[in-house]
Amino acid sequence: MKEPFRNEPVRQYRDESEREAIRKAQALVAGRFPEEIPLVIGGERIATARTKDSLDPSDTRRVVARAAQATAADVDRAMEVAWNAFRSWSRVAPEARARLLHRAAAIMRRRRLELVALEQFEAGKTVVEADADVAEAIDFLEYYARDMYRLAAGGAVTRIPDEDNELRYIPLGVGAIIPPWNFPLAIVTGMTSAAIVTGNAVLLKPASTTPAIAYRLVEIFEEAGLPPGVLNFVPGSGSEIGDHMVDHPKTRFISFTGSRDVGVRIYERAAKVQPGQIWLKRVVAEMGGKDAIVVDEGADYDEAANGIVQAAFGFQGQKCSAASRVIGVGAAYDAVLERVVERTRRLVLGPATDLAVDVGPVIDEAAYRKILDYIEVGRREGRLVAGGAKGPEGGYFIQPTIFADVAPTARIAQEEIFGPVLAFIRAKDFDEAEAIFNGTQYGLTGSLYSRSTEHLERARETFHVGNLYLNRKCTAALVGVHPFGGFNMSGTDSKTGGPDYLLLFLQAKAISERM
Ligand code: NAP
Ligand code: MG
């Protein structure tokens, strides 16, 4: 028996020794830029004529990596190789597959500082945010490994005389793993390891902005002993090869995390049965959010303000769980607004690798433009009370921005901005706050700060989100502690880091023998 799962402790990097160590790791990884990232198909490294650069969003002159770009023909070959590997991998004992995840976790622990530093450069995460992402990746490996031991025993069946019955969980086949860039190691690791530990083989297409971090995972799995062909790495633009991966008649499942629009497109396309296809594709999609924090009259306004600032501006608001709406009930509205604005003005904006910085850059040029456009929309829809402009030149910096007096139906109160922009919405009473809270197409995370037992109990029933937090912020879900995933247009209602997740990569076979 394995010892029970425990979350990997996160670090704060307050001690000088830790700060010294991360600075060294930063120098070490930066010395290798630009890294050359190949395709990996059946264990073979393949360079392509066409490459795409991933930049340091804090300093766009710095090229972090030059990634090979897979074509449709590369995807076809990877698919064939993966199905070949699947034949043997699916028959490896589940316990041995799980041990591979423990080994990968051990390697990540050893390489932690290097991984943290690389995230700072390629994704623009501050040290604490990057460290939390690496810790979460380790958590996924340790959690899913343990859950595989449980599922290896099969499902419970009822006994009848003269028959031996079992319910066995078997893998699906070959899947496409399509992650986003915002938790560049944790989400890639969670999605990939869940598929692999359950006995499937995969084609992993990393997000175009963070290929170097995703490639580390490929190397780590190789070092841990994963046979060639089980994890094939096919970096490429989603708009160029994404449809091909999804439409492929040999794709058995698609595991996607990303935006609403791409998720909907994948869901629709995957439903079409292609010539030669002999199954219905399974789609697991985790999508966006428009997450709200409600502050009730008489709540602890200081606590609420601290939670709101972290949830809204941590990693520049680029979390699916980020608070993008604050709903203030009655007198709470002004009390909290004032405190949040005051704390937001103290945030330090600058390069992610600088240990004194709270808010780094947004991920790329497209995000930068889109967020600045939303700030213009916000000027028409609300009263600007903090930020509202770009930050220093040279990187994709945007000031943490707050709009007050926003209508619940305004665009900035309905559309996912995915940046450091927060809308304050006034509610006259708790009923109205509840209606506003639920009044979007999304249903991912949300919080209520309140001292009213009645309101806390009511929120448990009526606030329709996959992850509801009471008297705490709506970000920083922990694997195993807060199984994560949303309702409605936030996805297919799955929960990562929870006891139901691995079943999404398995199918159950019932076997009965007359005795
Ligand atoms: P995105 O633009 O939807 O991209 C996600 C992935 O899909 C990327 O690998 C992208 O490749 C790929 N892709 C793009 N077009 C595709 C197509 N037609 N077919 C197949 N794949 C395609 O999302 P993002 O900007 O990376 O991430 C931010 C979004 O993710 C936000 O909406 C956020 O809320 C959501 N998110 C949700 C969760 C959750 O757990 N619910 C967690 C994290 C993030 P390229 O990079 O090459 O475009
Ligand atoms: Mg995108």
Side-chain angles (χ1 to χ4, degrees):
M1 232 348 236
K2 266 268 160 210
E3 74 282 8
F5 171 76
R6 287 183 47 203
N7 296 99
E8 188 70 19
V10 292
R11 299 178 188 165
Q12 294 303 323
Y13 296 86
R14 288 200 191 100
D15 300 343
E16 195 40 50
S17 63
E18 281 181 329
R19 297 166 85 83
E20 194 47 44
I22 193 66
R23 284 194 204 100
K24 258 201 197 142
Q26 288 175 351
L28 194 81
V29 298
R32 298 188 207 126
F33 296 157
E35 295 184 10
E36 303 283 335
I37 307 298
L39 316 182
V40 184
I41 299 177
E44 189 195 336
R45 263 66 184 162
I46 301 161
T48 58
R50 219 157 50 89
T51 60
K52 186 157 189 257
D53 290 350
S54 76
L55 307 179
D56 173 359
S58 300
D59 176 357
T60 56
R61 289 166 310 182
R62 184 183 276 129
V63 178
V64 171
R66 202 144 270 168
Q69 299 289 287
T71 60
D74 294 319
V75 168
D76 292 346
R77 218 162 58 73
M79 187 62 76
E80 206 182 304
V81 164
W83 275 106
N84 276 331
F86 174 73
R87 276 190 214 111
S88 45
W89 180 243
S90 56
R91 297 206 169 95
V92 169
E95 293 80 2
R97 297 194 307 248
R99 270 192 291 280
L100 200 128
L101 269 56
H102 293 307
R103 269 184 231 121
I107 298 166
M108 275 190 194
R109 283 191 194 94
R110 286 198 287 276
R111 294 178 68 174
R112 181 155 176 171
L113 284 173
E114 174 214 332
L115 295 168
V116 170
L118 180 59
E119 288 205 15
Q120 295 193 269
F121 285 111
E122 197 176 44
K125 290 210 179 216
T126 59
V127 69
V128 174
E129 294 283 348
D131 189 77
D133 188 62
V134 176
E136 187 178 359
I138 295 169
D139 281 353
F140 278 129
L141 291 165
E142 294 286 359
Y143 183 91
Y144 292 144
R146 283 170 176 76
D147 222 33
M148 194 63 229
Y149 299 132
R150 175 177 67 89
L151 291 169
V157 287
T158 302
R159 210 185 137 69
I160 56 167
D162 307 322
E163 239 183 57
D164 178 77
N165 290 294
E166 73 165 306
L167 189 70
R168 183 186 289 193
Y169 293 115
I170 65 170
L172 294 168
V174 174
I177 307 287
I178 308 179
W181 47 267
N182 68 329
F183 289 91
L185 189 65
I187 293 184
V188 178
T189 301
M191 294 167 79
T192 305
S193 64
I196 284 177
V197 78
T198 43
N200 301 286
V202 302
L203 274 59
L204 165 61
K205 191 212 83 62
S208 290
T209 40
T210 51
I213 302 167
Y215 181 58
R216 289 294 195 279
L217 179 70
V218 176
E219 292 178 326
I220 288 168
F221 267 130
E222 280 178 345
E223 191 183 333
L226 187 70
V230 177
L231 166 51
N232 301 282
F233 187 62
V234 285
S237 151
S239 53
E240 286 167 26
I241 58 163
D243 286 349
H244 188 69
M245 290 176 75
V246 169
D247 296 348
H248 204 293
K250 293 273 195 226
T251 297
R252 177 64 182 83
F253 65 95
I254 298 132
S255 179
F256 167 80
T257 307
S259 61
R260 190 205 89 115
D261 290 355
V262 175
V264 168
R265 180 185 181 93
I266 289 175
Y267 194 71
E268 287 177 0
R269 295 188 79 102
K272 169 106 185 85
V273 176
Q274 303 289 341
Q277 183 181 324
I278 58 163
W279 47 64
L280 300 175
K281 290 172 187 169
R282 193 180 288 178
V283 177
V284 179
E286 326 260 349
M287 293 144 45
K290 192 67 197 176
D291 312 312
I293 295 184
V294 176
V295 187
D296 205 1
E297 266 180 312
D300 184 332
Y301 298 144
D302 289 310
E303 266 294 298
N306 289 337
I308 289 165
V309 171
Q310 286 174 22
F313 302 125
F315 192 39
Q316 298 76 264
Q318 301 173 111
K319 299 181 185 180
C320 50
S321 55
S324 56
R325 301 182 294 154
V326 172
I327 303 164
V329 180
Y333 182 88
D334 290 315
V336 173
L337 178 60
E338 185 192 326
R339 286 168 171 80
V340 170
V341 168
E342 196 253 320
R343 283 164 175 74
T344 300
R345 291 211 176 113
R346 289 204 303 259
L347 295 174
V348 179
L349 176 65
T353 45
D354 180 338
L355 300 180
V357 154
D358 302 302
V359 178
V362 300
I363 189 68
D364 64 4
E365 175 85 30
Y368 184 66
R369 299 265 154 248
K370 177 180 157 196
I371 297 162
L372 290 173
D373 284 350
Y374 269 113
I375 290 176
E376 290 316 304
V377 172
R379 284 178 200 282
R380 296 191 293 273
E381 292 185 329
R383 174 166 62 92
L384 181 71
V385 289
K390 30 188 188 185
E393 294 297 319
Y396 304 121
F397 298 106
I398 298 178
Q399 294 174 353
T401 296
I402 303 174
F403 290 101
D405 309 340
V406 176
T409 51
R411 282 184 61 199
I412 63 164
Q414 289 290 325
E415 297 171 17
E416 188 185 47
I417 300 171
F418 221 58
V421 182
L422 181 62
F424 264 73
I425 305 169
R426 205 183 276 277
K428 66 176 186 302
D429 54 22
F430 193 75
D431 287 346
E432 194 175 61
E434 178 188 283
I436 297 168
F437 182 95
N438 286 332
T440 77
Q441 61 179 301
Y442 295 107
L444 191 47
T445 77
S447 299
L448 167 63
Y449 283 89
S450 177
R451 286 194 169 111
S452 155
T453 312
E454 187 203 326
H455 290 171
L456 291 166
E457 288 300 320
R458 198 163 113 196
R460 283 176 188 262
E461 293 299 320
T462 62
F463 282 26
H464 195 60
V465 290
N467 288 76
L468 176 64
Y469 299 100
L470 304 176
N471 287 319
R472 55 150 284 178
K473 65 180 175 182
C474 58
T475 51
L478 286 174
V479 170
V481 180
H482 316 107
F484 188 84
F487 302 146
N488 293 347
M489 278 299 171
S490 293
T492 46
D493 319 309
S494 53
K495 281 281 186 282
T496 63
D500 310 317
Y501 190 66
L502 289 190
L503 288 174
L504 300 168
F505 299 86
L506 292 163
Q507 51 196 339
K509 182 172 183 177
I511 304 167
S512 308
E513 183 179 346
R514 189 94 188 145
M515 291 284 171

